[in-house]
Amino acid sequence: MKLNELRDNPGARLDSKRLGRGIGSGKGKTSGRGVKGQKARTGVALNGYEGGQLPIYRRMPKRGFVNIFRKEYAPVNLGALARAIEAGKLDASQPITEESLRGAGLVRGGAIAGVRLLGNGEISKAVNITVAGASASAKAAIEAAGGSVTTTVAKAEEKAAEA
């Protein structure tokens, strides 16, 4: 086979609609757009326009508050942590940090303030884990298995209280 003999499979590429080629084509005159004028032209965005009447998105009252300084935390459940240890993605004998959780694929996304450990699932191995936050049930489960949980957010709050 030569390069000039390469072809697509039959039916792999659809032929484009030939618009505006006479009334007999079925796609003549308005070319399937149904109207003439502004809506027949390209690049027209009439979304939300109500003919000069005040649009509904401006008539409705604005409610609530959006905190632009809100911190997003990535949740990690105990069950997922236990599965990662069993699969060999994490070493239970070494301290587990947020970086090691990210490397194991338990934490995704770039714009997060930290990892929050949640108590869904069970863990049997003793692990030493350092995360931004942990629920009371997650702390209790890890301590019952013989491990320890260190939260970095709590440390930052303690330093702020001392100052």
Side-chain angles (χ1 to χ4, degrees), residues 47-157:
N47 300 338
Y49 183 68
E50 298 183 19
Q53 173 177 290
L54 198 66
I56 192 159
Y57 68 87
R58 289 187 58 199
R59 292 197 301 264
M60 300 302 282
K62 306 295 182 274
R63 296 292 302 262
F65 169 73
V66 176
N67 184 3
I68 62 170
F69 300 108
R70 178 181 176 182
K71 291 182 171 70
E72 288 284 335
Y73 292 95
V76 173
N77 281 303
L78 288 179
L81 187 65
R83 282 192 300 274
I85 291 170
E86 287 170 16
K89 294 179 180 177
L90 288 172
D91 186 10
S93 62
Q94 298 294 322
I96 297 173
T97 62
E98 292 181 5
E99 289 78 32
S100 60
L101 290 171
R102 189 179 289 276
L106 293 175
V107 177
R108 292 194 186 100
I112 58 164
V115 175
R116 183 158 165 78
L117 193 63
L118 302 178
N120 193 358
E122 296 177 5
I123 190 162
S124 56
K125 294 199 175 179
V127 294
N128 295 331
I129 187 165
T130 303
V131 287
S135 67
S137 61
K139 274 186 182 176
I142 287 186
E143 288 166 0
S148 66
V149 178
T150 310
T151 56
T152 56
V153 172
K155 285 182 181 177
E157 288 172 356

